[in-house]
């Protein structure tokens, strides 16, 4: 009978140890794509606005047209432009991915979010401690003077949004 009691005590201790190890492993960090994404950092460098030729021509005509004073008094709709973005992507983690989705936010001069875009960035071969310069052309932007751009590799990504991030396709 004493042998049975010792076995129960040993089983209980073993079960407690296994549960502790599982809890420790779960708290140690996320694995898979989510864990790998956590090592990536995006940093905005610069941007330049490419003014469309038609918008410039329309602006010149409006200035020279004396009868357009009533229209000029009304606030003009921002012209759709192309913006050239230049940013860095760093991998500070030990895991690698073939690409990450970067969140791009466009904010007005007061800091209020105007637009949000998701940009796929190729990170093939980007190992721990390395970085890559990324140039991206963003078209049809309602840019006004003073707007700002911000890039980030968001972490964590809620489960309901993961379908918008291409790197999570491999896990499904």
């Amino acid at each position: 009978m004493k042998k049975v009691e010792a076995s129960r005590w040993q089983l209980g201790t073993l079960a407690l140890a296994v549960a502790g190890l599982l809890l420790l492993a779960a708290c140690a960090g996320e694995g898979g794509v989510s864990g790998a994404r956590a090592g990536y950092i995006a940093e905005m460098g610069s941007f330049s606005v490419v003014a469309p030729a038609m918008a410039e021509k329309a602006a010149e005509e409006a200035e020279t047209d004396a009868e357009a004073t009533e229209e000029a008094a009304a606030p003009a709709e921002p012209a759709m432009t192309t913006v050239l973005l230049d940013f860095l992507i760093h991998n500070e983690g030990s895991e690698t991915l073939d690409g990450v989705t970067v969140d791009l936010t466009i904010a007005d001069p007061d800091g209020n979010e105007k637009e949000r875009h998701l940009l796929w960035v190729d990170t093939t071969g980007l190992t721990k401690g390395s970085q890559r310069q990324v140039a991206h052309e963003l078209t049809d932007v309602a840019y006004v003077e003073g707007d700002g751009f911000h890039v980030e590799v968001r972490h964590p990504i809620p489960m309901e949004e993961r379908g918008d991030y291409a790197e999570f396709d491999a896990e499904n």
Side-chain angles (χ1 to χ4, degrees):
M1 184 107 158
K2 287 188 178 204
K3 191 172 191 174
V4 172
E5 287 178 25
S7 295
R8 286 184 187 164
W9 182 81
Q10 288 172 339
L11 276 176
T13 304
L14 180 62
L16 187 59
V18 169
L21 287 173
L22 289 174
L23 181 62
L24 189 61
C27 293
E30 287 185 84
V33 172
S34 186
R37 271 183 59 84
Y40 287 88
I41 300 167
E43 179 183 354
M44 190 68 197
S46 63
F47 69 91
S48 60
V49 178
V50 180
M54 294 184 85
E56 287 178 8
K57 184 177 178 183
E60 289 172 8
E61 289 174 1
E63 289 177 3
T64 58
D65 190 357
E67 296 177 9
T69 55
E70 186 177 312
E71 290 178 17
E77 292 277 328
M80 300 308 275
T81 61
T82 297
V83 178
L84 304 176
L85 303 171
D86 181 38
F87 61 94
L88 292 174
I89 186 90
H90 307 265
N91 184 0
E92 300 301 324
S94 57
E95 299 178 53
T96 61
L97 293 169
D98 290 337
V100 294
T101 303
V102 173
D103 285 56
L104 166 70
T105 305
I106 304 172
D108 68 15
D110 295 326
N112 300 315
E113 184 177 313
K114 289 174 51 172
E115 294 181 41
R116 185 173 163 264
H117 299 271
L118 298 177
L119 309 176
W120 174 254
V121 176
D122 180 10
T123 57
T124 305
L126 198 58
T127 58
K128 182 177 183 166
S130 61
Q131 65 183 14
R132 179 175 298 152
Q133 185 172 0
V134 178
H136 182 80
E137 183 177 297
L138 191 62
T139 58
D140 296 328
V141 178
Y143 176 82
V144 295
E145 188 69 32
D147 282 354
F149 298 85
H150 174 74
V151 290
E152 74 173 314
V153 179
R154 264 180 57 212
H155 180 76
I157 302 298
M159 291 300 285
E160 61 272 9
E161 293 181 35
R162 289 186 179 187
D164 297 333
Y165 292 76
E167 57 270 36
F168 286 103
D169 289 348
E171 286 189 336
N172 296 332

